[in-house]
Amino acid sequence: MQAQPLRKIRLAGFRSIRDMGEGLELRPVNVLIGANGTGKSNLVAFFSLLNHLMIEELSMWTAQSGGASDQLYYGSKASRQIEWRLECFDGPDRIDYSTTLRHGAPDRLVIAEETLAHKLSGGEMHPERFPNGGEESKMVKWVNAAGGVWVRVLWRLIEHTKVYHFLDTSPTARAKQTWRLADNASLKWDGGNLGPVLHRLRAEHPDRKSTL
């Protein structure tokens, strides 16, 4: 079962992102460009949260990111929870992953709701609700249970969703330094080998280079 790229994100209550409304439609390659303070870095941080949630390290990520209140829109006094829904498709089949995180004492994020729903082509959505109330995802316990195949599809999807953050545009940025042409196997998260990767694409995959 081959997971397709993530198709849509609906996110609310996370850092500077109050509510995405109908959500953000995604394609296989997505580029975020905008002025400072528009939420680009916070959307990137959401994927970091998501990856740590998948490996039962949400509490560690929260602590290292400044605490739960810093993750909530305008802090815990203004917002009490973070909500999201991810939509993806495996061919004609659909997979949705919805989660609600709430602020808990002393300053932690607690999973209030976690649901994975799947629909075969032409069928109805079948939700799998995981136990809640703790600081870590319970999905890992469901991998070998009924419906576990859909959990494995979701894991593979999130694992294969790569985020690159070219935040530094100063003269000392890694993307502006001298490169080794052989350092072109895969693009580094900060664009530190952007030149060699583009050179390889132009030589070996000119159609993909043109797409970029």
Side-chain angles (χ1 to χ4, degrees):
M1 186 177 293
Q2 182 63 44
Q4 297 299 311
L6 181 62
R7 299 291 181 85
K8 180 184 283 190
I9 302 175
R10 290 175 175 151
L11 178 62
F14 182 65
R15 295 190 178 180
S16 66
I17 303 172
R18 180 186 179 187
D19 193 337
M20 283 185 171
E22 291 300 312
L24 178 65
E25 298 277 355
L26 298 175
R27 297 189 178 188
V29 177
N30 303 273
V31 179
L32 298 178
I33 300 174
N36 291 337
T38 55
K40 303 184 303 297
S41 296
N42 290 333
L43 184 57
V44 169
F46 169 71
F47 283 97
S48 176
L49 180 159
L50 199 58
N51 276 280
H52 282 81
L53 181 73
M54 293 292 106
I55 57 174
E56 299 181 287
E57 290 184 354
L58 175 63
S59 57
M60 183 181 74
W61 181 89
T62 303
Q64 293 177 341
S65 300
S69 186
D70 281 0
Q71 315 315 314
L72 293 159
Y73 180 75
Y74 275 93
S76 58
K77 289 187 177 180
S79 305
R80 300 300 298 174
Q81 63 187 34
I82 300 168
E83 301 175 272
W84 71 76
R85 186 168 82 183
L86 311 180
E87 297 180 12
C88 63
F89 289 83
D90 178 46
D93 305 330
R94 176 172 166 174
I95 307 167
D96 288 5
Y97 175 55
S98 304
T99 305
T100 299
L101 305 180
R102 290 189 182 145
H103 186 266
D107 188 31
R108 61 195 182 108
L109 292 174
V110 177
I111 299 176
E113 185 175 339
E114 186 178 25
T115 303
L116 187 151
H118 56 85
K119 179 178 73 171
L120 296 175
S121 176
E124 298 180 353
M125 294 295 284
H126 297 281
E128 300 284 352
R129 292 184 173 85
F130 305 110
N132 54 51
E135 292 183 78
E136 305 298 346
S137 171
K138 301 299 190 298
M139 280 202 302
V140 67
K141 308 295 191 302
W142 284 56
V143 170
N144 297 316
V149 62
W150 298 102
V151 176
R152 291 192 291 273
V153 169
L154 179 68
W155 278 4
R156 186 163 62 247
L157 165 73
I158 294 173
E159 182 182 14
H160 291 171
T161 300
K162 305 298 182 183
V163 177
Y164 302 95
H165 196 190
F166 300 172
L167 177 64
D168 188 358
T169 58
S170 70
T172 59
R174 291 192 63 193
K176 296 183 178 181
Q177 303 308 303
T178 302
W179 296 311
R180 291 187 306 106
L181 203 56
D183 186 13
N184 60 12
S186 61
L187 182 62
K188 295 177 180 177
W189 72 274
D190 59 356
N193 63 338
L194 180 61
V197 169
L198 291 176
H199 183 273
R200 180 185 175 189
L201 282 176
R202 184 175 63 182
E204 300 180 9
H205 306 283
D207 55 331
R208 297 182 185 179
K209 173 64 165 54
S210 298
T211 299
L212 289 175

